[in-house]
Every structure is written in structure tokens, then in C-alpha cells.
Amino acid sequence: MSAESILPLELAEVGFSAGGNRILDGITARFEKGPVSVILGANGAGKSVLLRLCHGLLAPTQGRIAWDGGFGGDPRRRQAMVFQRPVMLRRSALANVAYGLAIAGVGRGERLASGRQMLERVGLLALAERPARLLSGGEQQRLALARAWVMKPEVLFLDEPTANLDPSATRAVEAIVAAIAGEGTKVIMTTHDLGQARRLADEILFLHRGRLIERAPKAIFFTQPHTPEAGAFLRGDLPWD
Amino acid sequence: MGDLGQAGSAAIQLILGADVRLWSIVALSLKVSLAATVIAAAIGLPLGALVALKDFPGRNLAIVVLNACMGLPPVVVGLVVYLLLSRAGPLGPLGLLFTPGAMIVAQTLLILPIIAAVSRQIVADAWGEYREQLTSLGAGSVQAAATLLYDCRFSLMTAILAGFGRAAAEVGAVLVVGGNIDGVTRVMTTSIALETSKGDLPQALGLGFVLMAIVLAVNAAALALRNAAARQGA
């Protein structure tokens, strides 16, 4: 990574409406390099939309999102995202990992070498030539992580990366996410899995009905949440209305 | 019924007897329709993909026109190409009229909208699934179009086959621009029309059998390809 960074990411009074429904409202936040930020909230709280806004897949209908670091180029090139249901290209696992590098103009030999290296790190090297769509759900998600990681992103967005996985596949994915964060990539992820938030997060952002109502370091959020909504979420209460 | 039976057995004898006249007609038909299919696919696949992905003014109109052109009457296409290629027409100096070249041009125009419209639909559906992922990976619209064409390659075979089937089976366009000249521009369909009107049913029926067999074989091959692809997770 070059000296200039795209971080911090600045959100000012960001709102998003679609079809007359206000999905997000008045989100103001700043994401710095470093801590793993986990966006927590119930289904429909707006977590996925918030990630898509940050990543630039959606444009906010109110407010402003800016990458305030000194990086002069297209900030999109320094970010990657892994989706809840990753789309596997109809080609081999290795070709999937190499794809983003090809888009970025990396030569063939180098992309295959980097791709193999990355597959090894996520434990899929033995399946390099296997068509990606024939991999299991957990393998596909690890492949999606490799595909994002190989781009050496400064920021990695993860949208409920283990929502459809069994416990052992979830553990494998979490180990990879921890490794990515450990190498200095800023991870911003959503989950509704409290255990996962405890295991991976440094700080928690709690979304409730489209609003960011609480943000705290993990230890504080889980022991002394400020808002009754966060407290109810932590206790596993069902929504009362 | 007796006529049909007699004609049928005579037709089979023609086919099995490797009748030179019959097989040269078959060969020209295949040459013309395959060439038209290759050219129309080379233009139609990228065209369909770009219309699917690119937002431009008049896009909806373009889609409507493209879809409507799938049903172009072959004789009308033949007439337009005839006017373009006739001695007084803008492309007259090429001297293509009443040659296989003119027939290839006419069939290309006839099936280009089919291949472009069907591939636009296939690519647009896939784009719905791929859009966020490819955008996230940094693909521009040309790169995304190329990726989708590659990833949809087996479904797109259907579009290409539909085009080939239409080209091989049409009679109006090749008749108007080719002229059905014996040994030069006579193909299966024009020959069937002619022989039927002359009352030479064995020749007409024999060519009809061959035409059906070709279309069946092509579709069987396509199905086999699709099944093989499905086994590979493609």
C-alpha cells in the first residue's frame, strides 16, 4: 500500500430512501484505520444498505459520504466487498481469484501466482482448478474472501459473511477475516450474530430502524449498552411492536 | 398416401445414393447459413450485451425495435438487400447480387436481431445477479459485458442456434437476393419450393429430410453441450 490512504471514511447526515421508504436516516460516522468495526442490528435495520452506501454501490439520497484520506485516485480501487451470497463466476476457483487482478491490469503470470498464494492462505489450493460453482457454501465464501483479499484492499466490507454457513465453515471464515484485519486491512462488517460480533469486533455500531443509535468499544457495548434498544437486542428480546 | 410413400422411398435413395446434385445444394445451404450465423453472432452478442448493460438515451426504444425485428419477414429483408445490392443501388458496384455473398448478407441481417435480442435478455438477467459483484471488483461496462458473455456462454448457444435455425429454414430472403440459380445460388429451401412446384417430389422431400436432420442434429448437440456444462457447474 502506498503512503496515501483513502481512510478516514466520513459519513455526514447520510440518509437513504427507496420507493418512499426511509431505510437509513441521519447517519453520521467516521471510520478510521485500525479497529474492526462491526455493524450490529436486527434484520431490516439497514445494515446492508449502509455497507453498500459506504462501498459506493448505492448513492445516498441525503447527506454526504467522503473518503477523506490523501489518496488521489479512485477510492473504489482500494476497497473490496464480500457479499452474503457471493457470486461465483462460471470458471475455476483460481480464475475467480485472478479475475479482479485482471480487471486491475495485472499480467497473467503474476495474477495466477498471486491467486494460488491466496488460495493456499484460505485453504483452497487443492481445489484451484475446480469450477467455483461446484464448491460448497463455506468454500465459496472462503473463495470470495480470497478474491477480495488478493486485491490488497485498504478497506474490506463484509455483509453478513457467515449468514448461510454451518459452525465449522463459520469458524474458517472468521479465522480468515481475523487474518485479513491482522495484516492491516480495515474491516467493516455487518452481522446479526452476537457471538461473531464478540469474536471479531473491536467496536460496535448499533443500527436500529435505520438510525445509528449507539457506537462503543466492544467491551463497553456488551456490558453496559446505553440504549434500551441495544439492551433488548443483547438480551435477545423479540421486538415488542 | 401412395404418392407420399413412393416419394419418400425415392428421397431416401437419393440421400443414401450420395446424389451429387442434392449434396451440393446441401453444402451451399450450410455454407451460407453458417457464415451468416458466424457474422451475426460476432456482431449480435456484443451488441446485445452492451444494450443490456449500458444506459443510453433511447435504450427502451432500441430494445423494442430489436425485439420487434426478431420477426422480420424474410422476403422484406431480401427486398431491402436486393435494393441495396442491385446495379443502381448504393452497394451495386460490389457485384454481389445473385451470388452466395448476397445470400449471406441477407441472412445475416435477418438473424442479427434474433441473436442480439435473445442475448440481450440472457445478459440482462445475469447482470441482475452479477451487477454488485462485478462493480465491486472494479469492472467497467465493457469488461462486465465480456465477463457476462463468457459466463453465459452456454445459454448464449441457444441464441446462436435460434439464429442458425431461422437462417437455414428461411426461403424468402435467399430467393430474392440469390435468384435460385441452379448450381450457383440454389439452396435447400429454394430448391424444395421449386421442385415441389415442378412436381419432383422425391428431390423436394429428400432435401426436406436432410434439412430436418440438420436442425435436429444441431439442437441435439446443443443440448449435449448444455448438459455437459451443467455437470461442470457452469
Side-chain angles (χ1 to χ4, degrees), chain A residues 52 55 90-91 99 131 133, chain B residues 130 132 136 147 151 232 234:
Chain A
R52 282 170 169 75
H55 190 39
R90 290 186 167 89
R91 48 196 90 188
Y99 179 83
R133 296 215 171 196
Chain B
Y130 282 63
E132 288 194 326
S136 174
T147 303
D151 266 44
Q232 286 174 33

Side-chain angles (χ1 to χ4, degrees), chain B residues 126-181:
Chain B
W127 184 228
E129 182 193 353
Y130 282 63
R131 179 186 201 116
E132 288 194 326
Q133 186 75 65
L134 293 187
T135 308
S136 174
L137 289 168
S141 44
V142 172
Q143 286 163 325
T147 303
L148 289 170
L149 284 176
Y150 181 76
D151 266 44
C152 298
R153 56 200 180 274
F154 296 106
S155 314
L156 289 169
M157 282 302 296
T158 319
I160 294 170
L161 286 173
F164 175 77
R166 172 98 160 141
E170 71 88 22
V171 54
V174 281
L175 185 61
V176 172
V177 303
N180 194 26
I181 302 164

Side-chain angles (χ1 to χ4, degrees), chain A residues 130-179:
Chain A
R130 184 81 58 90
R133 296 215 171 196
L134 292 189
L135 300 179
S136 71
E139 288 163 348
Q140 289 195 2
Q141 197 56 282
R142 274 146 68 199
L143 181 56
L145 283 163
R147 187 166 65 184
W149 198 4
V150 79
M151 305 301 290
K152 302 279 172 242
E154 209 185 318
V155 179
L156 175 62
F157 296 101
L158 302 164
D159 187 16
E160 304 257 4
T162 61
N164 302 315
L165 303 183
D166 66 27
S168 83
T170 298
R171 265 199 305 281
V173 165
E174 287 181 1
I176 295 167
V177 173

Side-chain angles (χ1 to χ4, degrees), chain B residues 5 26 31 50 76 80-82 90 95 110 136 142 156 176 178 211 215:
Chain B
V26 171
K31 195 180 107 184
L50 284 177
V76 175
V80 171
V81 174
Y82 180 93
L110 181 72
S136 174
V142 172
L156 289 169
V176 172
L211 190 53
V215 172

Side-chain angles (χ1 to χ4, degrees), chain B residues 10-49:
Chain B
I12 289 166
Q13 271 170 19
L14 273 179
I15 296 170
L16 296 180
D19 183 78
V20 176
R21 192 160 148 258
L22 182 138
W23 285 109
S24 69
I25 291 173
V26 171
L28 181 64
S29 287
L30 285 178
K31 195 180 107 184
V32 168
S33 296
L34 283 174
T37 306
V38 168
I39 299 169
I43 303 169
L45 294 176
L47 182 68

